[in-house]
């Protein structure tokens, strides 16, 4: 039987809504849609690029706790309320994923809080995830 474990970030949203930042299920790590909130202070920048950078720091923390890195990411989804905000984020996203080349999709949609300008979700496959 495959072991499953939840990874929590300390975000108040996880408790209020009832979800985990990530779930490790066998070799797979499913990281929830992650926004640009700094979970230690529950603050968020107005700048979309700074939000993207914070999203990636939050995701990296979950992957690290799971025993993975960005190199293990096989799928990424970008969700943005305004499509014009995506291109300014490309250099930041390319810095992290440019060598990895995961499958990727960008969707334009509403997010839970009007301060949120980008949300990033990833899936990683990592044999070390349950080690």
């Amino acid at each position: 039987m495959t072991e499953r474990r939840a990874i929590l970030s300390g975000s108040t949203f996880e408790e209020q809504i009832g979800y985990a930042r990530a779930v490790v299920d066998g070799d797979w790590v499913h990281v929830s849609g992650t926004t640009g909130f700094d979970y230690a202070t529950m603050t968020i920048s107005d700048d979309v690029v700074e939000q993207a950078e914070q999203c990636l720091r939050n995701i990296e923390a979950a992957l690290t706790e799971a025993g993975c890195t960005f190199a293990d990411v096989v799928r990424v989804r970008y969700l943005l309320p305004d499509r014009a905000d995506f291109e300014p984020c490309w250099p930041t996203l390319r810095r992290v994923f440019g060598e990895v080349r995961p499958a990727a999709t960008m969707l334009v949609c509403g997010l839970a809080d009007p301060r949120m300008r980008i949300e990033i979700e990833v899936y990683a496959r990592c044999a070390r995830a349950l080690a």
Side-chain angles (χ1 to χ4, degrees):
M1 180 176 218
T2 301
E3 184 180 335
R4 175 188 151 134
R5 72 179 166 102
I7 294 173
L8 303 176
S9 68
S11 164
T12 58
F13 298 126
E14 293 167 3
E15 184 62 31
Q16 292 169 344
I17 299 169
Y19 71 96
R21 174 64 38 220
V23 173
V24 178
D25 187 14
D27 291 349
W28 290 98
V29 180
H30 305 268
V31 181
S32 294
T34 302
T35 63
F37 272 92
D38 176 334
Y39 298 133
T41 61
M42 287 308 292
T43 58
I44 191 167
S45 170
D46 291 331
D47 182 78
V48 70
V49 174
E50 289 177 22
Q51 284 192 28
E53 291 168 352
Q54 184 64 49
C55 289
L56 294 168
R57 285 191 292 273
N58 295 338
I59 290 167
E60 183 175 37
L63 290 172
T64 298
E65 189 170 335
C68 298
T69 70
F70 282 119
D72 298 303
V73 172
V74 297
R75 176 75 152 125
V76 61
R77 283 194 188 91
Y78 306 106
L79 303 108
L80 296 95
D82 183 349
R83 72 176 34 98
D85 280 344
F86 192 44
E87 191 169 350
C89 297
W90 291 357
T92 298
L93 304 174
R94 185 174 45 250
R95 177 179 43 80
V96 172
F97 296 117
E99 300 272 325
V100 179
R101 300 293 177 117
T105 301
M106 188 281 263
L107 298 168
V108 175
C109 61
L111 298 180
D113 182 313
R115 296 172 293 173
M116 297 171 179
R117 296 179 62 190
I118 186 168
E119 185 169 321
I120 303 172
E121 171 186 59
V122 305
Y123 300 94
R125 188 161 188 206
C126 174
R128 300 173 307 281
L130 289 175

